[in-house]
Amino acid sequence: MRIGIHAFDGITMFHLSVPQMVFDEVARQGLGDWETFLFGDRPGRIRTAEGYGIEGIQGLTAAEGADVLVMPSWFLDGRPAGAAVRGTLRAAHAAEATIVGLCLGAIPVADAGLLAGRPAVTHWQAFDLLAQRHPDLALDESVLYLDHGDVLTSAGTASGLDACLHLVRTRLGADAANKVARSLVIAPHREGGQAQYIERPLPPRPDDDAISRVMDWAGQHLAEPLSIEVLAAAAHMSTRTFVRTFRAATGTTPATWVRTRRLDEARRLLETTDRPIDTIATDCGIGSPVTLRQNFSAAFKISPSQYRARFRAEVAQTEE
């Protein structure tokens, strides 16, 4: 899979490196034949916000035939995207490439008309600007990323990591995404439906604080009852303190996080095992197969059986 990443004068090294680190790790881990390249408005050289010069930037024509185009950020003044960039994004979209707008990168994606009438997300500081320029957008401040299948947008800065991991997960499965996350020492826990207003990011090591320790423990005991009382006890906190601290650290509630982790584990088991649906429901702590089917369908818009069949068909097609 060829993945083009847009580079421009003034982009930060962090924004430019996020999709490269995640997608190149797929190849480094031998999980898929993925290749990234940098392209810009013109071929040659750019200068980053930190003052570094980067050579070898390809021109817009390099985007032709790419499977994914990533706009990893945008100019801080929020200027409208030029005609050439808009045309490149539209042509790639028409050719069935996936278009990704990370952080302020949602601005040129919206300017290209690829988000008209659709929900979208960007860095919270750019919400007013984007809403004024594109009043037909349904901007959502309560999520980390939104995926329409053909177009994906994410909230600010580190949310780009979550969005890129999500793309790995949708293309290669939960197990591959978890391997990439572990290799990069980032948590694979954050799903799209979490607030971007996180007061304190989770530490990179699971033993750095009580919340991370509980999340790590709960992930290994999904088949067991995981009520708020059980989790609070594991964290040695009162339930009220635990709920408040958990939300501050993760941007979501303990119950929502546990449900998401169980569904993610169900998805992994559907991809990697032949276990019956009722067994998977028990192993994930969801209970009955009916509850699993209802929750899975609500979360992923597909039944567990259909997901298993589709995933295996996609893997077989990739191997061919």
Tab-separated table of all heavy atoms in Angstrom, residues 160-206:
chain	number	residue	atom	x	y	z
A	160	GLY	N	-3.668	12.026	16.277
A	160	GLY	CA	-3.247	11.465	15.001
A	160	GLY	C	-2.687	10.062	15.148
A	160	GLY	O	-2.856	9.223	14.259
A	161	LEU	N	-2.028	9.789	16.271
A	161	LEU	CA	-1.544	8.442	16.538
A	161	LEU	C	-2.703	7.457	16.614
A	161	LEU	O	-2.651	6.364	16.055
A	161	LEU	CB	-0.746	8.415	17.842
A	161	LEU	CG	0.642	9.037	17.822
A	161	LEU	CD1	1.153	9.239	19.237
A	161	LEU	CD2	1.615	8.162	17.034
A	162	ASP	N	-3.758	7.859	17.336
A	162	ASP	CA	-4.927	6.997	17.471
A	162	ASP	C	-5.577	6.748	16.120
A	162	ASP	O	-5.982	5.621	15.809
A	162	ASP	CB	-5.935	7.639	18.427
A	162	ASP	CG	-5.348	7.891	19.796
A	162	ASP	OD1	-5.023	6.921	20.488
A	162	ASP	OD2	-5.210	9.065	20.180
A	163	ALA	N	-5.685	7.811	15.303
A	163	ALA	CA	-6.320	7.670	13.997
A	163	ALA	C	-5.502	6.763	13.079
A	163	ALA	O	-6.061	5.938	12.345
A	163	ALA	CB	-6.506	9.050	13.360
A	164	CYS	N	-4.174	6.911	13.109
A	164	CYS	CA	-3.330	6.068	12.264
A	164	CYS	C	-3.376	4.614	12.707
A	164	CYS	O	-3.420	3.701	11.877
A	164	CYS	CB	-1.899	6.592	12.268
A	164	CYS	SG	-1.688	8.170	11.395
A	165	LEU	N	-3.379	4.382	14.024
A	165	LEU	CA	-3.536	3.011	14.521
A	165	LEU	C	-4.885	2.438	14.112
A	165	LEU	O	-4.996	1.255	13.790
A	165	LEU	CB	-3.401	2.982	16.045
A	165	LEU	CG	-1.996	2.875	16.619
A	165	LEU	CD1	-2.047	2.947	18.135
A	165	LEU	CD2	-1.309	1.589	16.178
A	166	HIS	N	-5.909	3.279	14.132
A	166	HIS	CA	-7.235	2.840	13.695
A	166	HIS	C	-7.201	2.395	12.239
A	166	HIS	O	-7.803	1.376	11.877
A	166	HIS	CB	-8.238	3.982	13.874
A	166	HIS	CG	-9.549	3.758	13.187
A	166	HIS	ND1	-10.517	2.907	13.684
A	166	HIS	CD2	-10.042	4.253	12.023
A	166	HIS	CE1	-11.556	2.893	12.865
A	166	HIS	NE2	-11.293	3.697	11.852
A	167	LEU	N	-6.474	3.126	11.401
A	167	LEU	CA	-6.380	2.754	9.996
A	167	LEU	C	-5.665	1.414	9.839
A	167	LEU	O	-6.067	0.566	9.031
A	167	LEU	CB	-5.642	3.841	9.211
A	167	LEU	CG	-5.660	3.695	7.688
A	167	LEU	CD1	-7.083	3.747	7.154
A	167	LEU	CD2	-4.818	4.784	7.036
A	168	VAL	N	-4.611	1.196	10.627
A	168	VAL	CA	-3.932	-0.101	10.613
A	168	VAL	C	-4.910	-1.201	11.019
A	168	VAL	O	-4.967	-2.271	10.420
A	168	VAL	CB	-2.711	-0.097	11.554
A	168	VAL	CG1	-2.103	-1.496	11.657
A	168	VAL	CG2	-1.668	0.896	11.077
A	169	ARG	N	-5.697	-0.919	12.054
A	169	ARG	CA	-6.633	-1.914	12.569
A	169	ARG	C	-7.691	-2.271	11.528
A	169	ARG	O	-8.032	-3.437	11.347
A	169	ARG	CB	-7.301	-1.387	13.835
A	169	ARG	CG	-8.185	-2.398	14.566
A	169	ARG	CD	-8.819	-1.793	15.805
A	169	ARG	NE	-7.812	-1.361	16.762
A	169	ARG	CZ	-7.596	-0.090	17.102
A	169	ARG	NH1	-8.321	0.872	16.566
A	169	ARG	NH2	-6.660	0.209	17.977
A	170	THR	N	-8.209	-1.267	10.824
A	170	THR	CA	-9.259	-1.553	9.843
A	170	THR	C	-8.709	-2.289	8.628
A	170	THR	O	-9.443	-3.056	7.990
A	170	THR	CB	-9.939	-0.251	9.378
A	170	THR	OG1	-8.955	0.639	8.815
A	170	THR	CG2	-10.637	0.444	10.536
A	171	ARG	N	-7.442	-2.071	8.284
A	171	ARG	CA	-6.863	-2.722	7.113
A	171	ARG	C	-6.252	-4.083	7.434
A	171	ARG	O	-6.305	-4.995	6.611
A	171	ARG	CB	-5.791	-1.823	6.481
A	171	ARG	CG	-6.294	-0.481	5.971
A	171	ARG	CD	-7.318	-0.633	4.875
A	171	ARG	NE	-7.802	0.644	4.370
A	171	ARG	CZ	-7.308	1.265	3.295
A	171	ARG	NH1	-6.316	0.716	2.621
A	171	ARG	NH2	-7.810	2.411	2.909
A	172	LEU	N	-5.638	-4.207	8.610
A	172	LEU	CA	-4.868	-5.412	8.921
A	172	LEU	C	-5.351	-6.162	10.145
A	172	LEU	O	-4.852	-7.247	10.441
A	172	LEU	CB	-3.389	-5.052	9.105
A	172	LEU	CG	-2.683	-4.445	7.887
A	172	LEU	CD1	-1.260	-4.051	8.251
A	172	LEU	CD2	-2.679	-5.418	6.717
A	173	GLY	N	-6.304	-5.598	10.884
A	173	GLY	CA	-6.836	-6.286	12.052
A	173	GLY	C	-6.305	-5.765	13.369
A	173	GLY	O	-5.283	-5.073	13.428
A	174	ALA	N	-7.019	-6.111	14.438
A	174	ALA	CA	-6.682	-5.623	15.779
A	174	ALA	C	-5.337	-6.144	16.245
A	174	ALA	O	-4.586	-5.437	16.928
A	174	ALA	CB	-7.779	-6.020	16.758
A	175	ASP	N	-5.008	-7.385	15.895
A	175	ASP	CA	-3.752	-7.964	16.353
A	175	ASP	C	-2.573	-7.199	15.775
A	175	ASP	O	-1.586	-6.919	16.476
A	175	ASP	CB	-3.681	-9.441	15.971
A	175	ASP	CG	-2.579	-10.185	16.697
A	175	ASP	OD1	-2.490	-10.053	17.933
A	175	ASP	OD2	-1.795	-10.880	16.040
A	176	ALA	N	-2.635	-6.852	14.499
A	176	ALA	CA	-1.558	-6.088	13.863
A	176	ALA	C	-1.438	-4.704	14.491
A	176	ALA	O	-0.336	-4.216	14.751
A	176	ALA	CB	-1.818	-5.969	12.361
A	177	ALA	N	-2.579	-4.056	14.740
A	177	ALA	CA	-2.545	-2.728	15.365
A	177	ALA	C	-1.932	-2.798	16.748
A	177	ALA	O	-1.166	-1.901	17.148
A	177	ALA	CB	-3.960	-2.148	15.433
A	178	ASN	N	-2.246	-3.838	17.506
A	178	ASN	CA	-1.673	-3.988	18.839
A	178	ASN	C	-0.165	-4.198	18.773
A	178	ASN	O	0.580	-3.694	19.622
A	178	ASN	CB	-2.335	-5.149	19.574
A	178	ASN	CG	-3.766	-4.841	19.975
A	178	ASN	OD1	-4.165	-3.687	20.023
A	178	ASN	ND2	-4.532	-5.878	20.238
A	179	LYS	N	0.303	-4.938	17.783
A	179	LYS	CA	1.744	-5.153	17.629
A	179	LYS	C	2.452	-3.841	17.307
A	179	LYS	O	3.533	-3.555	17.833
A	179	LYS	CB	2.002	-6.184	16.531
A	179	LYS	CG	1.636	-7.608	16.915
A	179	LYS	CD	1.906	-8.578	15.769
A	179	LYS	CE	1.526	-10.005	16.183
A	179	LYS	NZ	1.703	-10.968	15.060
A	180	VAL	N	1.848	-3.043	16.436
A	180	VAL	CA	2.434	-1.743	16.108
A	180	VAL	C	2.459	-0.852	17.343
A	180	VAL	O	3.469	-0.186	17.632
A	180	VAL	CB	1.652	-1.069	14.967
A	180	VAL	CG1	2.095	0.385	14.783
A	180	VAL	CG2	1.830	-1.843	13.668
A	181	ALA	N	1.355	-0.830	18.094
A	181	ALA	CA	1.278	0.004	19.291
A	181	ALA	C	2.322	-0.412	20.320
A	181	ALA	O	2.986	0.439	20.932
A	181	ALA	CB	-0.125	-0.073	19.899
A	182	ARG	N	2.482	-1.718	20.521
A	182	ARG	CA	3.468	-2.188	21.486
A	182	ARG	C	4.881	-1.828	21.058
A	182	ARG	O	5.719	-1.440	21.870
A	182	ARG	CB	3.348	-3.709	21.670
A	182	ARG	CG	2.168	-4.131	22.518
A	182	ARG	CD	2.309	-5.586	22.960
A	182	ARG	NE	2.381	-6.506	21.831
A	182	ARG	CZ	1.327	-7.081	21.274
A	182	ARG	NH1	0.116	-6.808	21.724
A	182	ARG	NH2	1.481	-7.916	20.266
A	183	SER	N	5.157	-1.945	19.759
A	183	SER	CA	6.488	-1.632	19.269
A	183	SER	C	6.818	-0.150	19.442
A	183	SER	O	7.954	0.208	19.750
A	183	SER	CB	6.602	-2.022	17.786
A	183	SER	OG	7.888	-1.739	17.276
A	184	LEU	N	5.825	0.708	19.252
A	184	LEU	CA	6.031	2.150	19.388
A	184	LEU	C	5.828	2.631	20.819
A	184	LEU	O	5.967	3.823	21.099
A	184	LEU	CB	5.083	2.898	18.451
A	184	LEU	CG	5.267	2.627	16.956
A	184	LEU	CD1	4.260	3.434	16.145
A	184	LEU	CD2	6.688	2.964	16.514
A	185	VAL	N	5.476	1.715	21.716
A	185	VAL	CA	5.234	2.016	23.138
A	185	VAL	C	4.158	3.090	23.274
A	185	VAL	O	4.339	4.112	23.925
A	185	VAL	CB	6.530	2.447	23.865
A	185	VAL	CG1	6.346	2.322	25.365
A	185	VAL	CG2	7.708	1.618	23.415
A	186	ILE	N	3.035	2.865	22.595
A	186	ILE	CA	1.870	3.720	22.753
A	186	ILE	C	0.673	2.835	23.060
A	186	ILE	O	0.628	1.672	22.667
A	186	ILE	CB	1.584	4.580	21.494
A	186	ILE	CG1	1.499	3.710	20.232
A	186	ILE	CG2	2.641	5.648	21.329
A	186	ILE	CD1	1.204	4.493	18.983
A	187	ALA	N	-0.281	3.385	23.797
A	187	ALA	CA	-1.422	2.593	24.240
A	187	ALA	C	-2.385	2.355	23.085
A	187	ALA	O	-2.774	3.296	22.390
A	187	ALA	CB	-2.147	3.306	25.371
A	188	PRO	N	-2.820	1.097	22.864
A	188	PRO	CA	-3.794	0.814	21.815
A	188	PRO	C	-5.226	0.963	22.306
A	188	PRO	O	-6.155	0.525	21.652
A	188	PRO	CB	-3.495	-0.652	21.473
A	188	PRO	CG	-3.070	-1.233	22.768
A	188	PRO	CD	-2.329	-0.141	23.501
A	189	HIS	N	-5.432	1.590	23.474
A	189	HIS	CA	-6.736	1.576	24.122
A	189	HIS	C	-7.709	2.646	23.600
A	189	HIS	O	-8.899	2.486	23.708
A	189	HIS	CB	-6.579	1.782	25.631
A	189	HIS	CG	-5.689	0.777	26.287
A	189	HIS	ND1	-5.968	-0.558	26.328
A	189	HIS	CD2	-4.504	0.926	26.925
A	189	HIS	CE1	-5.011	-1.202	26.967
A	189	HIS	NE2	-4.100	-0.322	27.332
A	190	ARG	N	-7.199	3.772	23.093
A	190	ARG	CA	-8.089	4.889	22.829
A	190	ARG	C	-8.844	4.703	21.521
A	190	ARG	O	-8.269	4.681	20.440
A	190	ARG	CB	-7.311	6.197	22.798
A	190	ARG	CG	-6.553	6.457	24.094
A	190	ARG	CD	-6.305	7.909	24.344
A	190	ARG	NE	-5.652	8.587	23.248
A	190	ARG	CZ	-5.467	9.907	23.219
A	190	ARG	NH1	-5.913	10.660	24.204
A	190	ARG	NH2	-4.857	10.475	22.207
A	191	GLU	N	-10.161	4.595	21.619
A	191	GLU	CA	-11.004	4.511	20.439
A	191	GLU	C	-11.448	5.911	20.030
A	191	GLU	O	-11.185	6.890	20.714
A	191	GLU	CB	-12.225	3.632	20.729
A	191	GLU	CG	-11.876	2.172	20.981
A	191	GLU	CD	-11.375	1.454	19.727
A	191	GLU	OE1	-11.704	1.884	18.616
A	191	GLU	OE2	-10.653	0.459	19.881
A	192	GLY	N	-12.151	5.988	18.908
A	192	GLY	CA	-12.521	7.299	18.379
A	192	GLY	C	-13.480	8.073	19.240
A	192	GLY	O	-13.410	9.293	19.321
A	193	GLY	N	-14.409	7.375	19.913
A	193	GLY	CA	-15.463	8.069	20.640
A	193	GLY	C	-15.058	8.541	22.011
A	193	GLY	O	-15.741	8.268	22.991
A	194	GLN	N	-13.942	9.229	22.102
A	194	GLN	CA	-13.496	9.800	23.365
A	194	GLN	C	-13.246	11.283	23.173
A	194	GLN	O	-12.911	11.739	22.085
A	194	GLN	CB	-12.227	9.119	23.870
A	194	GLN	CG	-12.404	7.647	24.181
A	194	GLN	CD	-11.130	7.031	24.755
A	194	GLN	OE1	-10.264	7.727	25.245
A	194	GLN	NE2	-11.040	5.712	24.693
A	195	ALA	N	-13.397	12.039	24.256
A	195	ALA	CA	-13.199	13.478	24.169
A	195	ALA	C	-11.730	13.795	23.917
A	195	ALA	O	-10.836	13.105	24.376
A	195	ALA	CB	-13.660	14.143	25.461
A	196	GLN	N	-11.487	14.895	23.178
A	196	GLN	CA	-10.108	15.295	22.961
A	196	GLN	C	-9.596	16.170	24.097
A	196	GLN	O	-8.421	16.529	24.141
A	196	GLN	CB	-9.937	16.015	21.624
A	196	GLN	CG	-10.782	17.265	21.427
A	196	GLN	CD	-10.474	17.934	20.096
A	196	GLN	OE1	-9.344	18.348	19.846
A	196	GLN	NE2	-11.459	18.020	19.221
A	197	TYR	N	-10.468	16.517	25.047
A	197	TYR	CA	-10.042	17.328	26.187
A	197	TYR	C	-9.568	16.421	27.311
A	197	TYR	O	-10.282	16.173	28.280
A	197	TYR	CB	-11.188	18.200	26.693
A	197	TYR	CG	-11.807	19.060	25.621
A	197	TYR	CD1	-13.090	18.801	25.164
A	197	TYR	CD2	-11.092	20.109	25.056
A	197	TYR	CE1	-13.655	19.584	24.175
A	197	TYR	CE2	-11.650	20.885	24.066
A	197	TYR	CZ	-12.928	20.632	23.625
A	197	TYR	OH	-13.485	21.396	22.643
A	198	ILE	N	-8.386	15.883	27.197
A	198	ILE	CA	-7.833	15.006	28.218
A	198	ILE	C	-6.879	15.817	29.072
A	198	ILE	O	-5.913	16.391	28.577
A	198	ILE	CB	-7.123	13.805	27.579
A	198	ILE	CG1	-8.146	12.976	26.791
A	198	ILE	CG2	-6.433	12.945	28.627
A	198	ILE	CD1	-7.549	11.812	26.065
A	199	GLU	N	-7.160	15.904	30.376
A	199	GLU	CA	-6.381	16.758	31.246
A	199	GLU	C	-4.958	16.264	31.424
A	199	GLU	O	-4.017	17.043	31.563
A	199	GLU	CB	-7.058	16.857	32.625
A	199	GLU	CG	-8.458	17.472	32.558
A	199	GLU	CD	-9.163	17.400	33.888
A	199	GLU	OE1	-8.487	17.123	34.900
A	199	GLU	OE2	-10.379	17.614	33.925
A	200	ARG	N	-4.773	14.939	31.437
A	200	ARG	CA	-3.444	14.390	31.700
A	200	ARG	C	-3.279	13.130	30.866
A	200	ARG	O	-3.960	12.145	31.100
A	200	ARG	CB	-3.308	14.051	33.193
A	200	ARG	CG	-1.965	13.435	33.566
A	200	ARG	CD	-1.864	13.301	35.082
A	200	ARG	NE	-2.982	12.563	35.628
A	200	ARG	CZ	-3.035	11.241	35.713
A	200	ARG	NH1	-2.049	10.523	35.278
A	200	ARG	NH2	-4.085	10.644	36.243
A	201	PRO	N	-2.377	13.128	29.882
A	201	PRO	CA	-2.215	11.935	29.052
A	201	PRO	C	-1.685	10.767	29.857
A	201	PRO	O	-0.971	10.936	30.833
A	201	PRO	CB	-1.202	12.378	27.984
A	201	PRO	CG	-0.445	13.494	28.630
A	201	PRO	CD	-1.445	14.189	29.526
A	202	LEU	N	-2.063	9.567	29.419
A	202	LEU	CA	-1.580	8.368	30.104
A	202	LEU	C	-0.078	8.230	29.937
A	202	LEU	O	0.459	8.514	28.870
A	202	LEU	CB	-2.259	7.126	29.526
A	202	LEU	CG	-3.729	6.965	29.875
A	202	LEU	CD1	-4.308	5.817	29.063
A	202	LEU	CD2	-3.905	6.702	31.348
A	203	PRO	N	0.627	7.818	30.983
A	203	PRO	CA	2.068	7.603	30.858
A	203	PRO	C	2.338	6.421	29.938
A	203	PRO	O	1.490	5.553	29.774
A	203	PRO	CB	2.510	7.299	32.295
A	203	PRO	CG	1.276	6.784	32.963
A	203	PRO	CD	0.135	7.522	32.324
A	204	PRO	N	3.526	6.394	29.323
A	204	PRO	CA	3.800	5.338	28.351
A	204	PRO	C	3.958	3.964	28.956
A	204	PRO	O	3.803	2.964	28.281
A	204	PRO	CB	5.124	5.797	27.712
A	204	PRO	CG	5.759	6.684	28.738
A	204	PRO	CD	4.617	7.361	29.426
A	205	ARG	N	4.305	3.864	30.238
A	205	ARG	CA	4.495	2.565	30.875
A	205	ARG	C	3.279	2.227	31.733
A	205	ARG	O	2.756	3.080	32.445
A	205	ARG	CB	5.750	2.567	31.743
A	205	ARG	CG	7.035	2.639	30.950
A	205	ARG	CD	8.235	2.743	31.889
A	205	ARG	NE	8.263	1.672	32.860
A	205	ARG	CZ	8.744	0.456	32.626
A	205	ARG	NH1	9.217	0.177	31.436
A	205	ARG	NH2	8.748	-0.477	33.553
A	206	PRO	N	2.790	0.975	31.680
A	206	PRO	CA	1.586	0.613	32.419
A	206	PRO	C	1.762	0.638	33.931
A	206	PRO	O	0.791	0.525	34.649
A	206	PRO	CB	1.282	-0.799	31.924
A	206	PRO	CG	2.598	-1.323	31.466
A	206	PRO	CD	3.325	-0.144	30.914
